[in-house]
Amino acid sequence: LTWWVEAGAPAAGTLRSLNAPAEVRVAFSKSLPAEELQIVEEIQRRQAAEYEATLATVRAAIPGSLRTLVPGERDLEYSAAIAGARFGDAELEKLSAAGKDLIWLDLSRTKVTDAGLKTLAKMPNLQHLDLRDTTVGDAGLDALAPLQHLRTLGLYGTAVTDAGLPALQRLTGLRRLYVGETRVTAPAVATLGRARRELQIAP
């Protein structure tokens, strides 16, 4: 009850979606009557089986490495870098089947395009995104607007210019930005740095 009040007394959502601490989730599960607990456990087993089937489909459909960041949790990491040019917009769309649980995404050295980055809207919980050495340019940065949890963005060796930086202003959670080997100029970096002093911009 203390947690619920401190969380703003939410009237909707699940304990997971509201980021309830583990001890709160455990205490709540123990408070359920035996019959209700059995129903919840059955739903959880069914959902877990469906989820694992989805992950198996993703792994089979596209090359790369999909793994959990923390054992027992759903947070996922995917690296397409090992696939290189064999990974493009179509493969990114297939990856969106696991989109809500993707936290880390490495698309470096792939064939993903500006148009393909629109798929990232299906991955709203991304915190780390690496677009290094892709053809992504200014137009692609507009597609990142839904990624409000994004903290690290790698743009090294992309086609991004000064004109694309204003789009990053909308990413309020962004803390690290890598722009080396792009057409982004020092004055533009300085301007962005003054506007977002909490943002670390590195070459």
Side-chain angles (χ1 to χ4, degrees):
L1 184 59
T2 299
W3 166 80
W4 179 71
V5 172
E6 291 177 347
T14 64
L15 292 177
R16 182 172 182 269
S17 68
L18 294 171
N19 297 316
E23 59 268 23
V24 171
R25 300 199 300 271
V26 171
F28 180 78
S29 67
K30 290 181 177 179
S31 70
L32 294 174
E35 291 183 1
E36 290 186 22
L37 184 58
Q38 288 180 351
I39 293 173
V40 169
E41 289 176 344
E42 177 57 33
I43 292 174
Q44 289 174 336
R45 282 193 291 270
R46 185 171 67 250
Q47 290 177 335
E50 292 172 350
Y51 183 72
E52 288 304 318
T54 296
L55 295 189
T57 300
V58 170
R59 290 188 177 103
I62 51 180
S65 175
L66 181 68
R67 66 184 185 88
T68 55
L69 284 170
V70 179
E73 297 288 343
R74 282 196 172 189
D75 293 346
L76 298 174
E77 174 184 16
Y78 185 84
S79 175
I82 60 175
R86 291 177 290 131
F87 190 101
D89 295 348
E91 288 70 30
L92 184 59
E93 177 61 37
K94 292 175 183 177
L95 185 60
S96 68
K100 290 184 178 180
D101 293 319
L102 280 165
I103 304 298
W104 294 59
L105 180 58
D106 182 358
L107 298 176
S108 60
R109 298 185 293 279
T110 65
K111 289 296 183 181
V112 169
T113 69
D114 287 345
L117 291 187
K118 294 177 181 178
T119 298
L120 296 181
K122 301 176 183 178
M123 306 174 187
N125 296 312
L126 278 180
Q127 295 179 15
H128 302 270
L129 176 62
D130 192 348
L131 298 172
R132 183 172 19 126
D133 295 323
T134 64
T135 62
V136 167
D138 300 334
L141 299 187
D142 287 330
L144 306 185
L147 307 182
Q148 291 302 308
H149 297 288
L150 194 65
R151 296 186 62 82
T152 304
L153 176 60
L155 299 175
Y156 184 94
T158 63
V160 171
T161 72
D162 293 353
L165 295 189
L168 302 183
Q169 292 277 23
R170 297 192 292 270
L171 302 177
T172 57
L174 195 63
R175 292 297 179 268
R176 293 185 182 87
L177 175 65
Y178 298 88
V179 294
E181 297 299 320
T182 66
R183 288 186 288 166
V184 172
T185 65
V189 168
T191 298
L192 179 59
R194 287 192 295 271
R196 295 284 301 279
R197 296 193 180 280
E198 77 285 1
L199 179 61
Q200 299 177 21
I201 307 175

